[in-house]
C-alpha cells in the first residue's frame, strides 16, 4: 500500500478519476475511506476534507499535513482566493489552501509532484463524497451547527473549531446529531491537550491552592474596530460567494469588515472575544475545577462595554461578567491585556497561567507544583487524539457535550452582559428561568433554505 512516499497517494501511482466541481475540473486519486477497508487494513489512512480555508485552517493544516495516516483529499471555501484575513501577508481561500496541501504532499512524494486535492465552493458537495472519513469545520461560528449536523448525517467524523456553537440551541442540536449518527466530534480547543495545562489542571485538583474560592478567566482585547455608524455597503469581491458566506444569517449588505476573520465581532456570526478567547479560557478553568459536566446557576454583567449603536460590530468591546456554580464557587470572565489566561484563588494561595507557563503565584512553592512550559508543539496531541478516536471510536478530550457546555457558558455570559441583568440557568429544562426575553436569545432564526433539518 505504501509506495515509498510516506503513505501518500500521488495521482500518478493510483487510479485517478475526474470530478467536476464548482471550482473546475480536477483529477484526484481514488482513496478508500478507512471504514471501508476495516480497522486492521494495511491502509489505516484517514481521509479528510477541510471546510473553511481561512486563518485558522492554515494552523490546523500544519497539524494534519505531516500525519502519515491522514490524507486531505478535499478543501472547500466560498472564497476562491484573496487577502483580507487577519494579517496582510495571508493569501487564503480554497485555491491557495488546495495548493498548500498539494505542495506539502508533493514534497513527500517520490515523483515530487502531487495532484489530488479537490476544491469545492459548496460544502454539501464535499460531504457527498463517500471516500471522505472526516471533516474539519473551520468556518465562522454561524455555520458550525448546520455543517456539523449535515456532516454527521453524511457519516463523517468531525473536528469542529471552537466556539463549538453560535447559540445554546445550536449546541443542543449538534449533540443530538452527533449521537444519533454515532460520530466522533472533537472541539477545536487545542489547549485542552497540552501537557503543561494537563499538569496545571491536575495540580489544582490535587489542591495546590487549597479549596478554590474565586476564579478569573482572561480574554484578549478586540484586535479590530468596526467602521462605525454610517458605514456604507461595498461591492462584493469577485470570487467571493457572499450569499453562501452569510448562509443561515440574515441577508445584509456586504462590507469587508463583516466577513473574513472580522466576523468575530458581529453577533450574527459569533460572540466576540467572549466566545473567541472565552471558549479557551473558561474551558481550561472548567477542566481544572472538574466542572465539565455542570453549568453555572447564575450569571451577571460586571461592567461590559459595547460599540456605538449603528456600528457594524455589536459584540462587547469590554467583556466582563460573573457566574456562580451550585456549590458557591464564583468565576469571572474579563477583557485583559494578559490576552488569555486563568487565575485560581484558593484558601491556601493563588496561581495564574497564560496557558504556556505559570505567570504569577502567591508563593514560589505553588508555582513549582507545575513545572515545565506549554509550547505550540504540544497542540499536536489534540489533533492526534481526534484521529486516534476516529479509529478507536472513543470520545476525544472535548467531545460535543463538553464543547457545547463550554460555549454555553460564554453564550449565557453574552446574554447577561447584553441585557445587563442577572440570568438564572435552569439546567433541568436547559433554558433561562423566568425571563422570556433572555430565553429567546438562546436561539436564532435561520434564513431559508438553511435549518437544522437534514
Ligand atoms: N482554535 C483556535 O485557537 C482558533 C483560532 C482562530 C480561529 N478559530 C476558529 O476557527 C473558525 C474560523 O476562524 P478563522 O479565523 O479561520 O476565520 P476566517 O474568516 O479567517 O476563515 C473562515 C473561512 O471560512 C470560509 N467560509 C465561510 N462560510 C463558508 C461556507 N459556507 N463554506 C465554506 N467556507 C466558508 C470563509 O470564506 C473563510 O475563508 C472560527 O470558529 C474561529 O473561532 C479557532
Amino acid at each position: 500500500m505504501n509506495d515509498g512516499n510516506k503513505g501518500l497517494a500521488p495521482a500518478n501511482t493510483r487510479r485517478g478519476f475526474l470530478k467536476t466541481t464548482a471550482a473546475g475540473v480536477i483529477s484526484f486519486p481514488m482513496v478508500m475511506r478507512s471504514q471501508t477497508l476495516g480497522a486492521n487494513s494495511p491502509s489505516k489512512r484517514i481521509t479528510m476534507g477541510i471546510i473553511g480555508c481561512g486563518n485558522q485552517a492554515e494552523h490546523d493544516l500544519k497539524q494534519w499535513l505531516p500525519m502519515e495516516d491522514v490524507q486531505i483529499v478535499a478543501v472547500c471555501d466560498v472564497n476562491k482566493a484573496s487577502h483580507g484575513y487577519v494579517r496582510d501577508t495571508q493569501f487564503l481561500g480554497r485555491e491557495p489552501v488546495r495548493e498548500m496541501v498539494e505542495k506539502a504532499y508533493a514534497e513527500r512524494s517520490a515523483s515530487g509532484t502531487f495532484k489530488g486535492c479537490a476544491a469545492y465552493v459548496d460544502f454539501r458537495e464535499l460531504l457527498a463524497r463517500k471516500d471522505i472519513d472526516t471533516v474539519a469545520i473551520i468556518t465562522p461560528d454561524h455555520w458550525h451547527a448546520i455543517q456539523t449536523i449535515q456532516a454527521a448525517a453524511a457519516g463523517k467524523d468531525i473536528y469542529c473549531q471552537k466556539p463549538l456553537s453560535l447559540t445554546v440551541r445550536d449546541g443542543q442540536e449538534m449533540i443530538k446529531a452527533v449521537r444519533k449518527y454515532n460520530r466522533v466530534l472533537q472541539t477545536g480547543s487545542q489547549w485542552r491537550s497540552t501537557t503543561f495545562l494537563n499538569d496545571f489542571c491536575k495540580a489544582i485538583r490535587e489542591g495546590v491552592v487549597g479549596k478554590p474560592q474565586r476564579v478569573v478567566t482572561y480574554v484578549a482585547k478586540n484586535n479590530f474596530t468596526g467602521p462605525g455608524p454610517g458605514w456604507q455597503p461595498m461591492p462584493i469581491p469577485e470570487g467571493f460567494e457572499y450569499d453562501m458566506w452569510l448562509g443561515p444569517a440574515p441577508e445584509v449588505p456586504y462590507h469587508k469588515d463583516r466577513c473574513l476573520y472580522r466576523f468575530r465581532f458581529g453577533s450574527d456570526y459569533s460572540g466576540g472575544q467572549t466566545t473567541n478567547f472565552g471558549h479557551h479560557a473558561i474551558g481550561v478553568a472548567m477542566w481544572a475545577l472538574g466542572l465539565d459536566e455542570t453549568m453555572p446557576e447564575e450569571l451577571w454583567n460586571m461592567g461590559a462595554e459595547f460599540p456605538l449603536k449603528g456600528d457594524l460590530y455589536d459584540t462587547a468591546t469590554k467583556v466582563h461578567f460573573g457566574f456562580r456554580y451550585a456549590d458557591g464557587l464564583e468565576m469571572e470572565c474579563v477583557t485583559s491585556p494578559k490576552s488569555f489566561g486563568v487565575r485560581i484563588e484558593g484558601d491556601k494561595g493563588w496561581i495564574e497561567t497564560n496557558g504556556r507557563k505559570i505567570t504569577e503565584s502567591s508563593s514560589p512553592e505553588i508555582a513549582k507544583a507545575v513545572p515545565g512550559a506549554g509550547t505550540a508543539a504540544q497542540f499536536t496531541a489534540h489533533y492526534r487524539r481526534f484521529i486516534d478516536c476516529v479509529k478507536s471510536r472513543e470520545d476525544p478530550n472535548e467531545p460535543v457535550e463538553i464543547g457545547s457546555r463550554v460555549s454555553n457558558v460564554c453564550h449565557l455570559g453574552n446574554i447577561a452582559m447584553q441585557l445587563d441583568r442577572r440570568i438564572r440557568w435552569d439546567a433541568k429544562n436547559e433554558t433561562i428561568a423566568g425571563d422570556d426575553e433572555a430565553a429567546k436569545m438562546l436561539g436564532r432564526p435561520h434564513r431559508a433554505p438553511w435549518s437544522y433539518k437534514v
Side-chain angles (χ1 to χ4, degrees), residues 28 35 72 115 200 209 217 233 258 314 350 370 380 388 410:
F28 57 91
Q35 283 98 322
I72 295 166
K115 289 277 172 233
F200 174 80
V209 291
T217 58
R258 188 191 294 287
D314 59 354
W350 55 268
V370 195
T380 303
D388 291 344
C410 305

Side-chain angles (χ1 to χ4, degrees), residues 48-105:
M48 180 180 277
I50 305 287
I51 304 178
C53 300
N55 164 58
Q56 183 60 21
E58 219 182 353
H59 295 281
D60 290 354
L61 276 177
K62 285 187 187 136
Q63 300 289 344
W64 307 120
L65 283 172
M67 291 186 194
E68 297 197 356
D69 56 351
V70 173
Q71 186 168 349
I72 295 166
V73 295
V75 300
C76 164
D77 201 297
V78 298
N79 185 25
K80 186 175 178 195
S82 75
H83 288 282
Y85 287 87
V86 61
R87 292 189 306 278
D88 292 344
T89 48
Q90 289 171 306
F91 185 69
L92 297 167
R94 66 182 176 275
E95 286 305 332
V97 167
R98 184 232 291 251
E99 275 171 37
M100 232 177 263
V101 171
E102 293 190 334
K103 186 167 172 276
Y105 288 163

